[in-house]
Amino acid sequence: MSYENAWLAYQKKPPTADAAYFSSLYVEGDHRVIATAREELLRAAREMFGKDMILCENREEATISFIWDRMAKTGEEGYHVREDNGKITITSEGPKGILYGCFACIRWVKMEKPFAGMDLLEKPSNPIRILNHWDNMDGSIERGYSGKSFFFRDEKVLVNERTRAYARMIASVGINASVINNVNVKGNATRLIDPVYQEELVQMAEIFADYGIRLYFSLNFAAPMELGGLSTADPQDEQVQSWWQEKMKDVFRRIPNLGGFLVKADSEGRPGPFTYGRTHADGANMLARAVEPYGGIIIWRCFVYNCQQDWRDKKTDRARSGYDNFMPLDGTFLDNVILQIKNGPMDFQVREPVSPLLGGLTKTNQMLEVQIAQEYTGQQRHVCYLIPMFREVLEHRTYCSNEQDTVADIISGRTFHQTNCGMAAVANTGDDENWTGHDLAAANLYGFGRLSFDTDLSSEAIAKEWIACTFGTDPEVMEKIEAILMMSWPAYEKYTSPLGIGWMVNPGFHYGPNVDGYEYDRWGTYHRADHLGIGVDRTSHGTGYAQQYREPLSSQYESLEKCPEELLLFFHHVSYTYRLKTGKTLIQHIYDTHFEGAEDVEKMAELWDSLEGKIPEKSFERVQNRFAHQMDHSKEWRDQINSYFYRKSFLEDEKHRTIY
Ligand code: GCV
């Protein structure tokens, strides 16, 4: 299927003074990634300015120079771009820094920023900036909303032009690693570490390497049994250990650009060390030892919980499970193990508290996992710009130290002086022409890359960059799309589940309202609404989850009055007549926000409509169609939620609007 170039589509620019910079290029340093940077710059000059840049032998003659200087003090992936006297120099300690500096210049052109006097020194906040694709070998994508996989089809590995287009797209925003297969590793996906797919995987790894991207696979913990014919996958078993050692020796020899592996173990039916009475540290360390000789990393997910719960059991709390399982193991993981922790304790809901494991752990490498695949946030049929949510998570103070204690500090390695850490996102891509289904969802892919590279960037700044690079710099276009993006997450939150309670979706596919959809199910995701009130008591009188936080957070969450209101129902069971800080009752708040949220969608759709003629037609229509659906669907959400709570509580809406 054909594809567009998203934010890397270059339109011909009218002749400006800046075009003169794109006349000639001098390259100092021989490396495949620098060669990629050179090709990218030449391409941009050709497509934007209609110019063929001359390659110069000496620096003095060139208008742009790439200087790979090991003394540059930028770090391997940082860069320094300077304009001086009509010339631009991109300097870095490493080839990747040159590539990122080159894309920064292209961005500069697209944003129409003047080069004169430019002096930009950037160093990535996070060492690892990784995408997790949940792509299956048959071509389907778990929680994929943008078509089929472009990595796999019919049990085969795909490598084609799109592979390169993907690599350049993600490298352009600073992503340096990618896990290409689903964490639920089944069937042929287990064989990705076998020679059978070697040819295609090496080709893919080579393309990735050109763009400074390390290839990762998700691993099946039971592979020694499924592939090796052993009777056990017990991490303490010597045969199992040597099976993994041999396997890793082989796979790292065959695929040189391999970064390591992602593992989902003992979670939602996946095999893991618990089967053998072993801990997650036993499991992760066994694999870490096997990949260590090759510089490999094991990224071990903390999404471990009991998914066979009974709704009557009010003590078992899914929110507690990550902390309960992993805190006792703090300090026991090897240095090439990273624990990957979802941003919240449940599962990527529109609002959750930050996981207490982040900052709970102090002696273990940590990676933050967010989800840009909009599983619970509108499945890329609703617009939902998630960067503001991720910013809140990054800014969250954990109190794990006197200073530098935010999530951003921890995952960057600043707090605990770690180098194996960073930020991961469950990817939102597929083989749709526009990559992300909803054209505006590309802002989340772009935004994840930019934010993980620079956690100080604001959501607005990222939105502006993405809009300018995608749709151009017309002020009306910039302003209106930014307004849409910035309204979108709050709007989604308003018309779906209230005040941090989450869920209320149709089971299985997780789309559309169904208040009791999961209420009596085994997944541990309850809202506990009755005729008097709603919410889960997670204080010390309830499940005790609030106590997993450090002070002052635990006291704050424990207290009904001090608990941040947006999380009220996550931590407390509250009566419908409880008065919020606005003076409104809880029930009135539910009614009001649901009406408001649906109205916000109409406003966003109107803003989009008013851009007709200013946005490429195809894109304009695609988004317009999605807004038509979002308007209907947000009303369905509004009515289902409002009617449910009206019928439960018998309390009238003060404003007497239609509630069924
Ligand atoms: C890949 C949720 C999703 C699953 C996903 C799982 C995970 O439960 O619904 O599809 O599995 O999270 O993160 O492993």
Side-chain angles (χ1 to χ4, degrees), residues 525-580:
T525 56
Y526 312 115
H527 55 63
R528 309 278 185 210
D530 57 21
H531 68 292
L532 295 172
I534 172 178
V536 183
D537 185 355
R538 292 192 161 102
T539 68
S540 40
H541 307 292
T543 73
Y545 166 78
Q547 297 306 314
Q548 293 185 334
Y549 290 88
R550 293 174 188 277
E551 286 296 2
L553 293 175
S554 56
S555 302
Q556 206 182 324
Y557 294 144
E558 179 84 19
S559 145
L560 185 58
E561 290 74 35
K562 291 195 203 128
C563 181
E565 260 179 4
E566 67 275 11
L567 290 170
L568 192 68
L569 304 180
F570 192 94
F571 285 100
H572 298 273
H573 187 85
V574 179
S575 101
Y576 296 119
T577 53
Y578 176 79
R579 291 227 173 250
L580 301 176

Side-chain angles (χ1 to χ4, degrees), residues 134 142-143 182-184 264 268 301 303 305 318 342 347-348 369 375-376 510:
W134 288 354
E142 183 153 348
R143 314 305 174 188
N182 189 356
V183 285
N184 292 324
K264 171 175 177 177
E268 301 183 333
R301 294 177 87 225
F303 185 59
Y305 68 99
R318 172 166 166 178
K342 288 192 183 188
D347 194 10
F348 302 132
E369 178 179 324
E375 178 177 359
Y376 296 99
H510 299 168

